[in-house]
Amino acid sequence: MAESLKSLAALSCPTPLTTRDRVLLGHGSGGKLSAELVRDIFLPAFSNPALAQLNDQAIVDINGTRVAITTDTFVVKPLFFPGGDIGSLAVHGTVNDLAMGGAQPLFLSVAFILEEGFSMDVLQRVVNSLKRAAADAGVQVVTGDTKVVEKGKGDGLFINTTGVGVVHAGLELSANRARPGDKVVLSGSIGDHGIAILAQREGLEFESAITSDSAALHTLVAEMMEVNSHFSQNRGEVGHPIRCMRDPTRGGLSSALNEIAEQSQVGIELDEQAIPVRDEVKGACEMLGLDPLYVANEGKLIAIVEPDAADALVAVMRRHPLGKDARVIGTVGERNAGMVTMRTALGTTRIVDMLAGDQLPRIC
Amino acid sequence: MAESLKSLAALSCPTPLTTRDRVLLGHGSGGKLSAELVRDIFLPAFSNPALAQLNDQAIVDINGTRVAITTDTFVVKPLFFPGGDIGSLAVHGTVNDLAMGGAQPLFLSVAFILEEGFSMDVLQRVVNSLKRAAADAGVQVVTGDTKVVEKGKGDGLFINTTGVGVVHAGLELSANRARPGDKVVLSGSIGDHGIAILAQREGLEFESAITSDSAALHTLVAEMMEVNSHFSQNRGEVGHPIRCMRDPTRGGLSSALNEIAEQSQVGIELDEQAIPVRDEVKGACEMLGLDPLYVANEGKLIAIVEPDAADALVAVMRRHPLGKDARVIGTVGERNAGMVTMRTALGTTRIVDMLAGDQLPRIC
């Protein structure tokens, strides 16, 4: 995720930080306030080529190997939710950020902040879940750290995972590579994670249970890379049909696409009817006044792909369990550079802006 | 630091966790309780060769390059203290963990957990300090993350830094490599950081101000490596006179040495009179009933070195500002395997056990 960095993209209406002298919950939203924080505080301090790309992961060179590094802290509340818990989420989130950079995830560090009085049994359950998720994803937890803060100075358990992986040879993925004509591919339905968390937190009950989509996407990405090579070979050149990938977590699909539109200085036009939203998620969103485009996902990805490779990519993705509902949901264009628009089911077109406030705090 | 892992070493009196079903502040101390947590919860879950070494950093192979990875979360209180702040400390602590593994620190990730309402000005000051410390240490902050938790669910600001570096060629440092006859070298006076934090936190005033020793040690280590190569060449073999290094942070000198004694299954005998403690730190410790052997340092290192290289190593270290008070403080022996003992100024010998409870919470 590392949304604090990537979310710089869609600052269509910059507000000076001087008007906000205190940290707000929205500064952690992955939306506009997060982007302000990055723009005004973090980027000026740490300018370097890897950071400046504002991707979800840094790609650095270590003795000729392209190594991806990404970090993410998990403060999700509650710790356990349908479809996962903070332990599995801490693995999936970081594995996915590596995968979105085209990297094979290899190593994780895990750092815990425990609140004094936290249940040792619950810690054990979280660690067991983290262990299973890491083993399933084929990543090794190689180092760790634990800090304890006094009762009332934390909230049970926070987890930071930092991941290291090796980028697939020859790949060049970045949010500034989208070009007019490219297609936007989405791997499956949106909104499941955010609604599952919210329902659990607020004790909401729906007719059918809503489950988080939390999952590690790197095996899906590995298969997508095959299409990539295939097309590259056919064209007899080094280029890659996949321009960039993102997992639409905090801030949802809208934030991820706004970032790409902004960084690539292109317009992205979505087709509302093509975007899969489960009926129960749609119903919950309507009831709660939420827009699924802004709700977090933890097991979905979007890929910007050259037009002539889109169908082949979707076909390959559909053979993978995590991509079985993959489809083209939009097109990259020249008009409305830096903006995301959507043709609605009613035939009108509306602007899909970046998340302004904080729709759902502590979703990951 | 990553003390949660390294502190497994000196569990001389294991207590089953079932008697402690809640997290205690002492579980973050870097002492026995931390070691229990690692032994009972973390190690069983994440067994792999890199983690099992229980060093302050994992050394992994990436395409033939030995890469060091280390993670540390900083919850120090107060955020600003004489000699540093949470920002500089977050750089020094992680840079030092890489350096202790014989690695050149290259890249850092930085992840913030902010409490709602935290001052944006204070955040800016911390980020500026972190920036300066990273620039001074020659490491790049390449990726980051920010989360915000509700007021009362955090404590202003916590920072995780995870570091990646490349291990100097041919080096093999590990806490299980100490051998009888080896010398224990300490780079300077102990206790400064812990006492500086405590004085600031409690509003204590001493005749002369006590300043944290927080500093990045990797340039000192780089010079120490030269001695290493020199001696290795003279002996015409691949071995290295430096067996292992540690920065005695949480849990102090006693915990770091107990870990080495335990992992190498050797005895370590210290000479109390050889261990430098500043007069003002000594006075503060006496007043507060603290033992400087257990007080945290953030800019000191210990090296276990082959006997015939000890003098040369000390001489090289003394030429560096951070090693100007370097000296041999003890010897590795066969007796009392797994234990640290100290010949006191009075001529008696006492056991220097690992920290049992939590002397000073939130020291880093």
Side-chain angles (χ1 to χ4, degrees):
Chain A
M1 284 163 272
E3 290 89 338
S4 62
L5 296 175
K6 75 183 188 190
S7 53
L8 183 71
L11 269 180
S12 53
C13 175
T15 311
L17 261 175
T18 45
T19 62
R20 299 196 181 97
D21 61 351
R22 297 275 158 189
V23 170
L24 308 173
L25 276 175
H27 284 115
S29 66
K32 284 187 182 178
L33 282 173
S34 299
E36 270 188 36
L37 199 60
V38 171
R39 180 196 60 191
D40 295 345
I41 304 268
F42 299 128
L43 269 193
F46 305 117
S47 59
N48 61 62
L51 188 62
Q53 293 218 355
L54 293 173
N55 288 315
D56 292 6
Q57 67 299 116
I59 311 281
V60 301
D61 179 280
I62 295 183
N63 284 356
T65 299
R66 287 195 304 159
V67 173
I69 307 174
T70 189
T71 191
D72 220 331
T73 305
F74 297 84
V75 299
V76 65
K77 188 173 159 179
L79 298 176
F80 299 86
F81 47 83
D85 58 69
I86 190 172
S88 54
L89 188 63
V91 172
H92 297 157
T94 292
V95 160
N96 289 348
D97 278 346
L98 292 174
M100 293 307 105
Q104 173 68 31
L106 296 174
F107 307 109
L108 284 187
S109 66
V110 179
F112 298 89
I113 300 179
L114 304 172
E115 184 187 8
E116 183 186 15
F118 187 67
S119 158
M120 207 58 93
D121 280 348
V122 175
L123 178 62
Q124 182 72 68
R125 282 173 62 199
V126 168
V127 167
N128 288 346
S129 169
L130 203 157
K131 168 193 179 173
R132 272 194 303 274
D136 289 349
V139 291
Q140 287 188 0
V141 174
V142 292
T143 192
D145 181 56
T146 308
K147 292 296 189 301
V148 181
V149 295
E150 305 90 330
K151 201 162 181 64
K153 300 298 183 184
D155 195 13
L157 171 64
F158 303 140
I159 302 180
N160 175 279
T161 51
T162 301
V164 173
V166 170
V167 181
H168 294 283
L171 261 188
E172 201 74 58
L173 303 173
S174 187
N176 61 11
R177 297 188 67 244
R179 297 288 172 268
D182 288 350
K183 296 296 180 186
V184 181
V185 172
L186 172 66
S187 65
S189 66
I190 60 169
D192 302 49
H193 176 74
I195 297 299
I197 295 284
L198 189 68
Q200 179 79 3
R201 193 189 294 167
E202 307 296 340
L204 305 177
E205 289 191 16
F206 303 107
E207 268 186 41
S208 48
I210 297 174
T211 303
S212 167
D213 59 340
S214 180
L217 293 164
H218 61 300
T219 57
L220 173 60
V221 170
E223 302 215 5
M224 292 164 69
M225 294 300 104
E226 295 302 312
V227 170
N228 204 2
S229 310
H230 176 63
F231 267 78
S232 302
Q233 281 163 12
N234 280 1
R235 296 181 309 161
E237 56 177 71
V238 189
H240 297 273
I242 298 180
R243 310 285 202 181
C244 80
M245 292 187 287
R246 276 282 160 94
D247 54 335
T249 55
R250 271 189 298 181
L253 190 66
S254 71
S255 287
L257 289 175
N258 268 289
E259 288 158 16
I260 294 168
E262 172 69 22
Q263 288 184 48
S264 295
Q265 277 302 301
V266 294
I268 293 180
E269 183 167 347
L270 301 177
D271 172 6
E272 182 172 29
Q273 292 185 288
I275 299 173
V277 185
R278 287 183 207 286
D279 284 341
E280 53 269 35
V281 171
K282 202 176 285 176
C285 281
E286 280 168 8
M287 204 179 79
L288 298 163
L290 297 174
D291 182 340
L293 292 175
Y294 294 89
V295 178
N297 312 277
E298 292 290 349
K300 298 299 181 322
L301 66 81
I302 49 174
I304 307 293
V305 59
E306 290 182 19
D308 57 356
D311 289 342
L313 183 66
V314 168
V316 163
M317 290 172 72
R318 286 187 174 175
R319 291 203 292 266
H320 191 286
L322 294 175
K324 64 181 167 42
D325 295 322
R327 65 196 70 181
V328 173
I329 62 162
T331 305
V332 177
E334 286 184 45
R335 287 176 50 197
N336 302 317
M339 288 171 64
V340 178
T341 57
M342 185 165 75
R343 181 168 298 272
T344 68
L346 302 171
T348 59
T349 296
R350 72 170 174 97
I351 293 172
V352 179
D353 204 355
M354 204 172 199
L355 184 63
D358 192 11
Q359 202 182 38
L360 298 171
R362 297 185 60 181
I363 211 73
C364 61
Chain B
M1 285 165 270
E3 290 89 338
S4 62
L5 295 175
K6 75 182 187 190
S7 53
L8 182 72
L11 268 180
S12 54
C13 175
T15 310
L17 260 174
T18 45
T19 62
R20 300 197 181 95
D21 61 350
R22 297 273 157 190
V23 171
L24 309 174
L25 275 176
H27 284 115
S29 67
K32 284 188 183 177
L33 282 173
S34 299
E36 272 188 35
L37 198 61
V38 172
R39 181 197 59 192
D40 296 344
I41 304 269
F42 299 127
L43 269 192
F46 305 117
S47 60
N48 60 63
L51 188 63
Q53 293 217 356
L54 293 173
N55 288 315
D56 293 5
Q57 68 299 118
I59 311 281
V60 301
D61 180 280
I62 295 182
N63 283 356
T65 298
R66 287 194 305 159
V67 173
I69 307 173
T70 189
T71 190
D72 221 332
T73 306
F74 297 84
V75 298
V76 66
K77 189 173 159 181
L79 298 177
F80 299 86
F81 48 84
D85 58 68
I86 191 172
S88 55
L89 189 63
V91 172
H92 296 156
T94 293
V95 161
N96 290 349
D97 278 346
L98 293 174
M100 294 306 104
Q104 174 68 32
L106 296 175
F107 307 109
L108 284 187
S109 66
V110 178
F112 298 88
I113 300 179
L114 304 172
E115 184 187 7
E116 183 186 15
F118 186 66
S119 158
M120 207 59 93
D121 279 348
V122 175
L123 178 62
Q124 181 73 66
R125 283 174 61 200
V126 168
V127 167
N128 288 347
S129 169
L130 202 155
K131 168 194 180 173
R132 273 193 304 274
D136 289 349
V139 291
Q140 287 188 3
V141 174
V142 292
T143 191
D145 180 57
T146 307
K147 293 294 189 304
V148 181
V149 295
E150 305 91 331
K151 201 162 180 63
K153 300 297 185 186
D155 195 13
L157 170 65
F158 304 140
I159 303 181
N160 176 281
T161 50
T162 300
V164 172
V166 170
V167 181
H168 293 282
L171 261 188
E172 201 74 59
L173 302 174
S174 186
N176 61 11
R177 296 189 67 245
R179 298 288 173 268
D182 288 351
K183 296 295 181 188
V184 181
V185 172
L186 173 65
S187 65
S189 66
I190 60 170
D192 303 48
H193 176 73
I195 297 299
I197 295 286
L198 189 67
Q200 179 79 3
R201 192 189 296 167
E202 307 297 340
L204 306 177
E205 290 191 14
F206 303 106
E207 267 184 41
S208 48
I210 297 174
T211 303
S212 168
D213 58 340
S214 180
L217 292 164
H218 62 300
T219 58
L220 173 60
V221 170
E223 302 216 6
M224 292 165 68
M225 294 300 104
E226 294 302 311
V227 170
N228 203 2
S229 309
H230 176 63
F231 267 79
S232 301
Q233 282 164 12
N234 281 0
R235 298 180 310 161
E237 54 176 74
V238 189
H240 298 273
I242 298 180
R243 310 285 202 180
C244 78
M245 292 187 287
R246 276 284 160 93
D247 55 335
T249 54
R250 271 190 299 181
L253 191 66
S254 71
S255 287
L257 289 175
N258 267 289
E259 288 157 14
I260 295 168
E262 172 70 21
Q263 288 184 47
S264 295
Q265 277 302 299
V266 295
I268 293 179
E269 183 167 349
L270 301 176
D271 173 6
E272 182 172 28
Q273 293 185 286
I275 300 173
V277 185
R278 286 184 209 284
D279 285 342
E280 53 269 36
V281 171
K282 202 178 286 177
C285 280
E286 280 169 8
M287 204 179 81
L288 299 163
L290 297 173
D291 183 338
L293 291 174
Y294 295 89
V295 179
N297 312 277
E298 292 290 349
K300 298 300 179 323
L301 65 82
I302 49 175
I304 307 293
V305 60
E306 290 183 19
D308 58 355
D311 290 343
L313 182 66
V314 167
V316 163
M317 290 172 72
R318 286 186 174 176
R319 291 203 293 265
H320 191 286
L322 294 175
K324 64 181 167 43
D325 296 323
R327 64 196 73 181
V328 172
I329 62 162
T331 305
V332 178
E334 286 185 42
R335 288 176 50 197
N336 301 317
M339 288 171 66
V340 179
T341 57
M342 184 165 75
R343 184 168 297 272
T344 67
L346 302 170
T348 60
T349 295
R350 71 170 175 97
I351 294 174
V352 178
D353 204 356
M354 202 170 200
L355 184 65
D358 192 11
Q359 203 182 35
L360 298 170
R362 298 185 60 182
I363 211 73
C364 60

